[in-house]
Amino acid sequence: MEEAFIHGLILAFGLILPLGVQNVFIFHQGALQKHFIHALPAVLTASLCDTLLIILAVFGVSVMNFSSLTKTVLLSIGILFLLYMGWSTWKSTPSAVKENNGKTAKETFTPFKQVLFSASVSLLNPHAIMDTIGVIGTSSLQYNGGEKAAFALACILVSWIWFAGLALAGRRIGDLDKSGHLMSAFNKISALVMWGAAIYIGFTLAK
């Protein structure tokens, strides 16, 4: 059981580490929000979505069994979300701006918008689906019973710890970037990553 748990930790960490739309969005929210707690809607949504995908993958419900039409519809929705998210991120202004009362504030995503966007990049992302179903699900086939549960738990723990840490790191960068110039540049990079992912999904649908 210990071996399965360690295997899950290493595998999940390796899969979640590379830069992707999901990671970019969580880091962006951590940096953009005034306090870490305000980024929790995005963090919790991403963690819960990953948990759902991991459970489905490890315990045998394969997304790959969806019909061709269903997958096309889901991926098309994903493209639209990514295009809109990229546009919203590109035009956002993280630098301090004046409110009517003279105080400074930052343009931030509402909790609902965080949940919506975080769920879309988690559940409508072909990379996330392939990582969980194709890699984690396949790797779990060598385990049974308690070992399989330990493997799944390890993968889930990595997601929760990683997303919380990513948002905290973003918050730290946001604190250091008083002028907003660094986050403005990061916004542009984030938008390009999202648009790039949308284009990639589009090529996938065209095949």
Side-chain angles (χ1 to χ4, degrees):
M1 189 177 295
E2 181 179 349
E3 180 181 345
F5 186 83
I6 295 175
H7 180 199
L9 287 177
I10 296 174
L11 180 64
F13 184 74
L15 291 174
I16 205 171
L17 185 60
L19 178 67
V21 177
Q22 194 179 36
N23 284 344
V24 165
F25 181 71
I26 298 301
F27 181 87
H28 181 267
Q29 289 309 299
L32 195 63
Q33 300 295 331
K34 187 175 182 181
H35 300 292
F36 169 74
I37 192 171
H38 295 154
L40 281 180
V43 173
L44 293 176
T45 301
S47 300
L48 288 171
C49 288
D50 264 24
T51 298
L52 174 63
L53 288 175
I54 290 168
I55 290 175
L56 290 175
V58 173
F59 296 102
V61 181
S62 176
V63 175
M64 303 307 290
N65 288 331
F66 283 172
S67 69
S68 177
L69 176 60
T70 301
K71 286 189 286 187
T72 298
V73 171
L74 289 176
L75 292 179
S76 297
I77 294 173
I79 291 174
L80 294 176
F81 266 118
L82 288 173
L83 291 174
Y84 175 65
M85 286 172 57
W87 175 74
S88 296
T89 303
W90 182 277
K91 73 181 185 69
S92 64
T93 54
S95 56
V97 295
K98 293 289 184 179
E99 292 181 324
N100 293 332
N101 58 11
K103 296 181 179 180
T104 60
K106 290 184 177 181
E107 182 180 325
T108 57
F109 284 22
T110 63
F112 176 76
K113 200 172 184 179
Q114 286 187 57
V115 170
L116 184 64
F117 282 9
S118 188
S120 69
V121 298
S122 299
L123 299 177
L124 300 176
N125 185 341
H127 287 293
I129 294 174
M130 289 305 299
D131 283 348
T132 51
I133 303 299
V135 180
I136 292 177
T138 302
S139 298
S140 70
L141 294 176
Q142 61 187 291
Y143 302 116
N144 292 296
E147 289 186 338
K148 185 182 286 279
F151 177 84
L153 177 61
C155 294
I156 291 170
L157 284 176
V158 167
S159 289
W160 284 80
I161 294 172
W162 175 259
F163 290 133
L166 203 59
L168 284 170
R171 180 81 299 275
R172 180 59 178 165
I173 295 298
D175 287 337
L176 295 175
D177 183 32
K178 299 301 183 182
S179 67
H181 295 314
L182 181 61
M183 280 309 302
S184 180
F186 186 77
N187 282 354
K188 300 298 187 287
I189 295 173
S190 300
L192 291 174
V193 170
M194 293 176 190
W195 286 334
I199 293 171
Y200 174 80
I201 297 174
F203 280 126
T204 300
L205 283 176
K207 290 181 179 179

